[in-house]
Amino acid sequence: MAGERPLNEVQFLTVAEVATVMRVSKMTVYRLVHSGHLPAIRVGRSFRVPEQAVHEYLRDSYVGVETA
């Protein structure tokens, strides 16, 4: 796909780090991962979320006032 970075350049965040960035609980992050709203990979028993995916999710979820 266009715009994808090589895996060796992707920064992965833990669930706790994502929760800190988003200012939500870890449970909320787990719900987003399990529902498919936030892509993640499983490493052993934990998840890692691409940092770019977090930024895209926040950008796409932003509710702002549109100006004409």
Side-chain angles (χ1 to χ4, degrees):
M1 289 183 181
E4 285 192 11
R5 294 165 44 183
L7 281 178
N8 63 342
E9 294 180 11
V10 176
Q11 295 286 11
F12 290 97
L13 302 175
T14 64
V15 168
E17 290 169 332
V18 174
T20 300
V21 168
M22 295 178 70
R23 293 191 172 118
V24 297
S25 71
K26 290 192 297 185
M27 185 55 68
T28 299
V29 177
Y30 282 118
R31 286 186 188 119
L32 290 170
V33 168
H34 286 292
S35 68
H37 288 98
L38 197 57
I41 61 168
R42 191 163 198 139
V43 179
R45 293 180 52 179
S46 61
F47 290 97
R48 297 293 186 270
V49 180
E51 184 177 25
Q52 187 63 34
V54 175
H55 295 299
E56 289 172 9
Y57 176 81
L58 291 172
R59 185 187 66 238
D60 294 345
S61 298
Y62 184 79
V63 178
V65 178
E66 292 187 31
T67 58

PDB file of all heavy atoms in Angstrom, residues 18 22 24 27-39 57:
ATOM      1  N   VAL A  18      -0.124   3.818  24.937  1.00  0.00           N
ATOM      2  CA  VAL A  18      -1.253   4.328  24.149  1.00  0.00           C
ATOM      3  C   VAL A  18      -2.262   5.002  25.069  1.00  0.00           C
ATOM      4  O   VAL A  18      -2.767   6.081  24.769  1.00  0.00           O
ATOM      5  CB  VAL A  18      -1.922   3.200  23.339  1.00  0.00           C
ATOM      6  CG1 VAL A  18      -3.182   3.708  22.641  1.00  0.00           C
ATOM      7  CG2 VAL A  18      -0.954   2.614  22.322  1.00  0.00           C
ATOM      8  N   MET A  22      -3.451   8.873  24.730  1.00  0.00           N
ATOM      9  CA  MET A  22      -4.865   9.178  24.489  1.00  0.00           C
ATOM     10  C   MET A  22      -5.571   9.707  25.730  1.00  0.00           C
ATOM     11  O   MET A  22      -6.719  10.142  25.651  1.00  0.00           O
ATOM     12  CB  MET A  22      -5.587   7.928  23.968  1.00  0.00           C
ATOM     13  CG  MET A  22      -5.094   7.470  22.616  1.00  0.00           C
ATOM     14  SD  MET A  22      -5.903   5.965  22.057  1.00  0.00           S
ATOM     15  CE  MET A  22      -7.543   6.570  21.735  1.00  0.00           C
ATOM     16  N   VAL A  24      -6.704   7.927  28.280  1.00  0.00           N
ATOM     17  CA  VAL A  24      -7.812   7.030  28.601  1.00  0.00           C
ATOM     18  C   VAL A  24      -7.252   5.877  29.428  1.00  0.00           C
ATOM     19  O   VAL A  24      -6.038   5.777  29.629  1.00  0.00           O
ATOM     20  CB  VAL A  24      -8.508   6.490  27.316  1.00  0.00           C
ATOM     21  CG1 VAL A  24      -9.128   7.622  26.508  1.00  0.00           C
ATOM     22  CG2 VAL A  24      -7.536   5.697  26.465  1.00  0.00           C
ATOM     23  N   MET A  27      -8.043  -0.258  29.767  1.00  0.00           N
ATOM     24  CA  MET A  27      -9.199  -1.045  29.349  1.00  0.00           C
ATOM     25  C   MET A  27      -9.823  -0.465  28.082  1.00  0.00           C
ATOM     26  O   MET A  27     -10.240  -1.202  27.193  1.00  0.00           O
ATOM     27  CB  MET A  27     -10.236  -1.121  30.475  1.00  0.00           C
ATOM     28  CG  MET A  27     -11.414  -2.032  30.138  1.00  0.00           C
ATOM     29  SD  MET A  27     -10.931  -3.718  29.656  1.00  0.00           S
ATOM     30  CE  MET A  27     -10.285  -4.330  31.190  1.00  0.00           C
ATOM     31  N   THR A  28      -9.870   0.848  27.982  1.00  0.00           N
ATOM     32  CA  THR A  28     -10.402   1.486  26.778  1.00  0.00           C
ATOM     33  C   THR A  28      -9.550   1.132  25.570  1.00  0.00           C
ATOM     34  O   THR A  28     -10.068   0.840  24.493  1.00  0.00           O
ATOM     35  CB  THR A  28     -10.464   3.014  26.960  1.00  0.00           C
ATOM     36  OG1 THR A  28     -11.345   3.307  28.049  1.00  0.00           O
ATOM     37  CG2 THR A  28     -10.950   3.705  25.703  1.00  0.00           C
ATOM     38  N   VAL A  29      -8.233   1.119  25.742  1.00  0.00           N
ATOM     39  CA  VAL A  29      -7.336   0.754  24.647  1.00  0.00           C
ATOM     40  C   VAL A  29      -7.572  -0.707  24.253  1.00  0.00           C
ATOM     41  O   VAL A  29      -7.662  -1.028  23.059  1.00  0.00           O
ATOM     42  CB  VAL A  29      -5.857   0.986  25.021  1.00  0.00           C
ATOM     43  CG1 VAL A  29      -4.932   0.526  23.891  1.00  0.00           C
ATOM     44  CG2 VAL A  29      -5.616   2.451  25.351  1.00  0.00           C
ATOM     45  N   TYR A  30      -7.685  -1.593  25.235  1.00  0.00           N
ATOM     46  CA  TYR A  30      -7.966  -3.005  24.930  1.00  0.00           C
ATOM     47  C   TYR A  30      -9.275  -3.145  24.152  1.00  0.00           C
ATOM     48  O   TYR A  30      -9.360  -3.917  23.200  1.00  0.00           O
ATOM     49  CB  TYR A  30      -8.036  -3.846  26.211  1.00  0.00           C
ATOM     50  CG  TYR A  30      -6.690  -4.180  26.786  1.00  0.00           C
ATOM     51  CD1 TYR A  30      -6.320  -3.747  28.050  1.00  0.00           C
ATOM     52  CD2 TYR A  30      -5.771  -4.956  26.071  1.00  0.00           C
ATOM     53  CE1 TYR A  30      -5.093  -4.054  28.586  1.00  0.00           C
ATOM     54  CE2 TYR A  30      -4.530  -5.274  26.605  1.00  0.00           C
ATOM     55  CZ  TYR A  30      -4.202  -4.825  27.856  1.00  0.00           C
ATOM     56  OH  TYR A  30      -2.975  -5.141  28.384  1.00  0.00           O
ATOM     57  N   ARG A  31     -10.286  -2.381  24.533  1.00  0.00           N
ATOM     58  CA  ARG A  31     -11.569  -2.438  23.815  1.00  0.00           C
ATOM     59  C   ARG A  31     -11.410  -1.981  22.368  1.00  0.00           C
ATOM     60  O   ARG A  31     -11.984  -2.571  21.459  1.00  0.00           O
ATOM     61  CB  ARG A  31     -12.610  -1.585  24.523  1.00  0.00           C
ATOM     62  CG  ARG A  31     -13.127  -2.196  25.798  1.00  0.00           C
ATOM     63  CD  ARG A  31     -14.264  -1.364  26.394  1.00  0.00           C
ATOM     64  NE  ARG A  31     -14.610  -1.857  27.707  1.00  0.00           N
ATOM     65  CZ  ARG A  31     -14.534  -1.154  28.830  1.00  0.00           C
ATOM     66  NH1 ARG A  31     -14.144   0.106  28.806  1.00  0.00           N
ATOM     67  NH2 ARG A  31     -14.862  -1.696  29.980  1.00  0.00           N
ATOM     68  N   LEU A  32     -10.640  -0.914  22.148  1.00  0.00           N
ATOM     69  CA  LEU A  32     -10.405  -0.422  20.796  1.00  0.00           C
ATOM     70  C   LEU A  32      -9.643  -1.456  19.957  1.00  0.00           C
ATOM     71  O   LEU A  32      -9.935  -1.644  18.777  1.00  0.00           O
ATOM     72  CB  LEU A  32      -9.627   0.899  20.831  1.00  0.00           C
ATOM     73  CG  LEU A  32     -10.387   2.103  21.358  1.00  0.00           C
ATOM     74  CD1 LEU A  32      -9.436   3.281  21.574  1.00  0.00           C
ATOM     75  CD2 LEU A  32     -11.510   2.487  20.406  1.00  0.00           C
ATOM     76  N   VAL A  33      -8.691  -2.121  20.569  1.00  0.00           N
ATOM     77  CA  VAL A  33      -7.924  -3.157  19.862  1.00  0.00           C
ATOM     78  C   VAL A  33      -8.823  -4.341  19.526  1.00  0.00           C
ATOM     79  O   VAL A  33      -8.868  -4.806  18.378  1.00  0.00           O
ATOM     80  CB  VAL A  33      -6.703  -3.602  20.695  1.00  0.00           C
ATOM     81  CG1 VAL A  33      -6.083  -4.869  20.112  1.00  0.00           C
ATOM     82  CG2 VAL A  33      -5.675  -2.483  20.776  1.00  0.00           C
ATOM     83  N   HIS A  34      -9.567  -4.829  20.510  1.00  0.00           N
ATOM     84  CA  HIS A  34     -10.413  -6.009  20.288  1.00  0.00           C
ATOM     85  C   HIS A  34     -11.557  -5.742  19.323  1.00  0.00           C
ATOM     86  O   HIS A  34     -11.990  -6.643  18.606  1.00  0.00           O
ATOM     87  CB  HIS A  34     -10.949  -6.545  21.618  1.00  0.00           C
ATOM     88  CG  HIS A  34      -9.911  -7.250  22.430  1.00  0.00           C
ATOM     89  ND1 HIS A  34      -9.344  -8.446  22.068  1.00  0.00           N
ATOM     90  CD2 HIS A  34      -9.300  -6.899  23.590  1.00  0.00           C
ATOM     91  CE1 HIS A  34      -8.447  -8.821  22.955  1.00  0.00           C
ATOM     92  NE2 HIS A  34      -8.396  -7.886  23.892  1.00  0.00           N
ATOM     93  N   SER A  35     -12.027  -4.500  19.262  1.00  0.00           N
ATOM     94  CA  SER A  35     -13.124  -4.170  18.340  1.00  0.00           C
ATOM     95  C   SER A  35     -12.616  -3.913  16.923  1.00  0.00           C
ATOM     96  O   SER A  35     -13.412  -3.796  15.991  1.00  0.00           O
ATOM     97  CB  SER A  35     -13.876  -2.935  18.845  1.00  0.00           C
ATOM     98  OG  SER A  35     -13.053  -1.786  18.750  1.00  0.00           O
ATOM     99  N   GLY A  36     -11.300  -3.800  16.772  1.00  0.00           N
ATOM    100  CA  GLY A  36     -10.730  -3.564  15.457  1.00  0.00           C
ATOM    101  C   GLY A  36     -10.585  -2.098  15.088  1.00  0.00           C
ATOM    102  O   GLY A  36     -10.142  -1.772  13.993  1.00  0.00           O
ATOM    103  N   HIS A  37     -10.942  -1.202  15.999  1.00  0.00           N
ATOM    104  CA  HIS A  37     -10.814   0.229  15.725  1.00  0.00           C
ATOM    105  C   HIS A  37      -9.357   0.702  15.776  1.00  0.00           C
ATOM    106  O   HIS A  37      -9.011   1.713  15.175  1.00  0.00           O
ATOM    107  CB  HIS A  37     -11.649   1.047  16.712  1.00  0.00           C
ATOM    108  CG  HIS A  37     -13.109   0.932  16.472  1.00  0.00           C
ATOM    109  ND1 HIS A  37     -13.916   0.071  17.199  1.00  0.00           N
ATOM    110  CD2 HIS A  37     -13.912   1.526  15.572  1.00  0.00           C
ATOM    111  CE1 HIS A  37     -15.147   0.172  16.757  1.00  0.00           C
ATOM    112  NE2 HIS A  37     -15.180   1.054  15.765  1.00  0.00           N
ATOM    113  N   LEU A  38      -8.536  -0.030  16.504  1.00  0.00           N
ATOM    114  CA  LEU A  38      -7.126   0.315  16.632  1.00  0.00           C
ATOM    115  C   LEU A  38      -6.311  -0.934  16.303  1.00  0.00           C
ATOM    116  O   LEU A  38      -6.393  -1.939  17.008  1.00  0.00           O
ATOM    117  CB  LEU A  38      -6.835   0.777  18.067  1.00  0.00           C
ATOM    118  CG  LEU A  38      -5.570   1.548  18.344  1.00  0.00           C
ATOM    119  CD1 LEU A  38      -5.478   2.803  17.483  1.00  0.00           C
ATOM    120  CD2 LEU A  38      -5.513   1.924  19.807  1.00  0.00           C
ATOM    121  N   PRO A  39      -5.537  -0.904  15.202  1.00  0.00           N
ATOM    122  CA  PRO A  39      -4.764  -2.089  14.824  1.00  0.00           C
ATOM    123  C   PRO A  39      -3.646  -2.359  15.822  1.00  0.00           C
ATOM    124  O   PRO A  39      -3.084  -1.420  16.411  1.00  0.00           O
ATOM    125  CB  PRO A  39      -4.201  -1.730  13.448  1.00  0.00           C
ATOM    126  CG  PRO A  39      -4.185  -0.245  13.417  1.00  0.00           C
ATOM    127  CD  PRO A  39      -5.325   0.210  14.288  1.00  0.00           C
ATOM    128  N   TYR A  57      -5.998   7.344  14.357  1.00  0.00           N
ATOM    129  CA  TYR A  57      -7.268   7.137  15.046  1.00  0.00           C
ATOM    130  C   TYR A  57      -7.746   8.445  15.684  1.00  0.00           C
ATOM    131  O   TYR A  57      -8.910   8.816  15.557  1.00  0.00           O
ATOM    132  CB  TYR A  57      -7.128   6.049  16.114  1.00  0.00           C
ATOM    133  CG  TYR A  57      -8.393   5.870  16.908  1.00  0.00           C
ATOM    134  CD1 TYR A  57      -9.441   5.108  16.410  1.00  0.00           C
ATOM    135  CD2 TYR A  57      -8.569   6.486  18.145  1.00  0.00           C
ATOM    136  CE1 TYR A  57     -10.632   4.962  17.127  1.00  0.00           C
ATOM    137  CE2 TYR A  57      -9.736   6.354  18.862  1.00  0.00           C
ATOM    138  CZ  TYR A  57     -10.763   5.587  18.346  1.00  0.00           C
ATOM    139  OH  TYR A  57     -11.935   5.457  19.050  1.00  0.00           O
TER     140      TYR A  57
END
